[in-house]
Amino acid sequence: MSKPIEHTITPEIVRRLAIHRQRLAGDRPPATSSGILDVVRDIGCLQLDPISAVARSHTLVVRSRVGNYDLEELDRLLWQDRHLFEYWAHAASIVLTEDYPIHHALMRSYAEGDSGWHVRVREWIEQNKVLHDYILSEITARGPIASRELEEVGRDPQAWVSTGWTSGRNVSRMLDFLWLKGRILVANRKGGQKLWDLAERCLPAANGSALTDEEIDYRAVQKALRALGVAQPRHIKIHYIRDRYRNLDDTISQLEREGKIQRVHIKDGDRTLPGTWYIHRDDLPLLERLQAGGWQPRTTLLSPFDNLICDRARTELLFDFNYRIEIYVPKHKRQYGYYVLPILHGDRLIGRIDPIMNRKAQRLEVNNVYAEPDALAEAGQAVRAAIEELGHWLGAKAIDYGENMPTIWRGALPG
């Protein structure tokens, strides 16, 4: 077999390939359940987060790709068609039912290692076996049920100790451990409250034959690389099934030998970016189209947990955009705001907005808008259109802009 051509590409093409593979450029997928399912197939997962200052993160990630859509379309995929379910990807996420064999690896191996964490979890579950058995019995008899319908039982329960919100919350912690073990799943949600049921009742057709560690890596590495567009092994390592690849280097070597992935060189003028970079063979036609000028950019607002920017170091490397979540930073120490949405314009991250949805007044309050130093004045109208589209989707009757608007976009943004 002849040696594949090693392509040399620019950082601009790398960004465009990543954005396109994330379904943030080109024609928008339809705002239907089938279009949403195609998006999740391409990007791998939708990270969950409880904060809804604007909207729940996973709904924002979908909206950035398909445009304004009916949330019932996503709910249908989750709770009726069961094409999606909630589990752990690179964080607590919505994942594909067809990828169940990949995620089943964590279910069958969770808390079975020799690390201090795994030993601690096993010991705590054993110490609280009465609670463990009670929860499973109640869910078997009454599921789907909410955690508030369960009681803490046991003659001498051992409280779960942590520095976070889970400390002392034994019922919630046991539910989490049973979920990670794949014994129970989220069967539905009512007002954001999880309703738990046995896994076999939620996904009766998901229990196929188990994959080996090698087979899981083989599938997951390709899925992660395709979602990233072009990536180094360290980018793949923390994407999709973050830090759960058993033999990442060996899998990459095998895929390269088979010709399924190829090396690329990234050259920025006279400088070549260090490290070994890969592209999936199936994305070579897309690479050629982008190099030939086939680029259809969009302007949209991204969730703080969007898949495009979840690897902060990679985001800074490729986009020269430093982004950190300031939710847990004291208000007087925040640089940009509580729940800041980056602005994607074409192949650049050109700024960020600091919004909150006032649901009682039905107003989207845009406290601040910030432009990056290299943002162009002509992008202002596109930024305003993206904000207005978000407001319309949220059901805002009006959009209120604060006084802190970038000078470069003064003509486009009120304030």
Side-chain angles (χ1 to χ4, degrees):
M1 186 173 68
S2 61
K3 185 177 180 180
I5 299 172
E6 290 192 7
H7 296 264
T8 299
I9 59 180
T10 64
E12 178 185 70
I13 293 297
V14 173
R15 292 193 299 272
R16 292 182 177 185
L17 184 61
I19 291 165
H20 206 289
R21 288 298 300 133
Q22 282 289 313
R23 304 302 293 269
L24 289 164
D27 294 333
R28 273 179 167 169
T32 61
S33 56
S34 62
I36 294 168
L37 187 61
D38 284 343
V39 164
V40 184
R41 283 195 177 110
D42 276 344
I43 69 176
C45 61
L46 303 172
Q47 183 173 336
L48 293 165
D49 187 83
I51 295 169
S52 56
V54 178
R56 293 287 301 278
S57 176
H58 65 283
T59 68
L60 288 170
V61 172
V62 172
R63 197 206 70 84
S64 295
R65 288 152 175 82
V66 306
N68 292 355
Y69 71 105
D70 189 335
L71 292 176
E72 289 185 2
E73 298 289 343
L74 181 55
D75 286 345
R76 184 177 299 112
L77 290 169
L78 277 161
W79 316 127
Q80 296 179 34
D81 299 340
R82 302 291 184 182
H83 291 314
L84 302 173
F85 70 103
E86 294 188 16
Y87 197 61
W88 195 270
H90 65 247
S93 302
I94 292 169
V95 297
L96 290 156
T97 303
E98 63 200 51
D99 285 346
Y100 180 91
I102 293 175
H103 299 295
H104 185 247
L106 176 60
M107 297 177 186
R108 68 175 185 256
S109 66
Y110 182 73
E112 293 183 1
D114 297 326
S115 72
W117 168 261
H118 290 152
V119 171
R120 181 187 174 205
V121 170
R122 287 200 302 273
E123 290 178 347
W124 184 83
I125 291 174
E126 183 60 30
Q127 291 165 350
N128 290 277
K129 190 174 187 306
V130 172
L131 177 63
H132 172 277
D133 294 348
Y134 158 76
I135 288 176
L136 277 180
S137 175
E138 288 294 296
I139 290 175
T140 299
R142 301 166 53 204
I145 60 174
S147 62
R148 65 172 178 267
E149 299 177 64
L150 298 167
E151 302 174 4
E152 185 166 322
V153 299
R155 180 173 300 175
D156 186 23
Q158 299 295 310
W160 178 261
V161 178
S162 78
T163 58
W165 69 272
T166 59
S167 187
R169 300 169 66 96
N170 287 5
V171 170
S172 295
R173 214 60 191 119
M174 190 65 79
L175 286 168
D176 284 343
F177 292 146
L178 287 167
W179 171 64
L180 287 165
K181 287 290 289 182
R183 300 292 303 278
I184 63 175
L185 292 173
V186 181
N188 208 330
R189 282 182 180 258
K190 297 296 182 184
Q193 180 78 25
K194 297 174 185 175
L195 301 182
W196 298 98
D197 205 349
L198 298 177
E200 58 264 31
R201 293 204 290 240
C202 296
L203 299 176
N207 293 301
S209 58
L211 299 176
T212 65
D213 290 343
E214 291 76 17
E215 290 170 330
I216 290 166
D217 277 9
Y218 193 81
R219 294 188 188 189
V221 166
Q222 292 185 78
K223 194 171 186 72
L225 178 57
R226 295 212 66 198
L228 291 164
V230 173
Q232 294 181 321
R234 62 191 175 104
H235 302 144
I236 296 170
K237 181 182 178 182
I238 62 173
H239 200 75
Y240 185 42
I241 56 169
R242 179 175 293 173
D243 293 326
R244 300 210 309 272
Y245 299 94
R246 299 296 183 93
N247 298 287
L248 180 61
D249 292 340
D250 289 346
T251 304
I252 288 174
S253 295
Q254 179 185 352
L255 289 166
E256 189 174 13
R257 287 195 306 272
E258 294 176 356
K260 291 186 179 294
I261 68 174
Q262 296 183 17
R263 299 189 185 204
V264 295
H265 302 289
I266 303 174
K267 197 164 185 179
D268 187 5
D270 295 330
R271 183 174 71 96
T272 299
L273 268 62
T276 305
W277 297 78
Y278 294 96
I279 187 173
H280 197 279
R281 178 180 62 191
D282 292 349
D283 285 326
L284 291 176
L286 172 59
L287 173 62
E288 292 172 358
R289 290 200 302 273
L290 293 173
Q291 288 179 315
W295 170 240
Q296 295 174 268
R298 294 189 227 144
T299 301
T300 193
L301 306 172
L302 302 178
S303 159
F305 303 97
D306 194 281
N307 299 43
L308 180 70
I309 58 171
C310 63
D311 183 341
R312 308 302 189 201
R314 174 182 162 93
T315 301
E316 192 161 356
L317 174 66
L318 297 182
F319 292 89
D320 192 24
F321 187 80
N322 184 294
Y323 183 74
R324 301 293 182 271
I325 294 174
E326 298 182 290
I327 292 168
Y328 304 109
V329 176
K331 185 175 181 179
H332 68 281
K333 292 185 177 180
R334 292 177 193 146
Q335 183 178 3
Y336 295 109
Y338 177 75
Y339 199 80
V340 171
L341 310 185
I343 305 167
L344 177 67
H345 178 69
D347 62 10
R348 302 296 308 190
L349 292 165
I350 62 166
R352 53 200 99 196
I353 74 168
D354 167 27
I356 188 167
M357 180 60 191
N358 186 331
R359 292 178 177 82
K360 185 175 181 180
Q362 295 183 284
R363 304 179 80 88
L364 177 61
E365 299 170 0
V366 182
N367 302 309
N368 303 288
V369 177
Y370 303 93
E372 289 294 286
D374 59 350
L376 301 176
E378 52 264 33
Q381 291 294 341
V383 172
R384 180 169 182 173
I387 293 171
E388 290 176 349
E389 183 182 34
L390 174 64
H392 177 72
W393 181 66
L394 293 169
K397 292 183 177 179
I399 299 175
D400 299 329
Y401 289 86
E403 295 181 0
N404 184 19
M405 297 295 118
T407 303
I408 195 171
W409 294 335
R410 282 286 183 185
L413 299 176

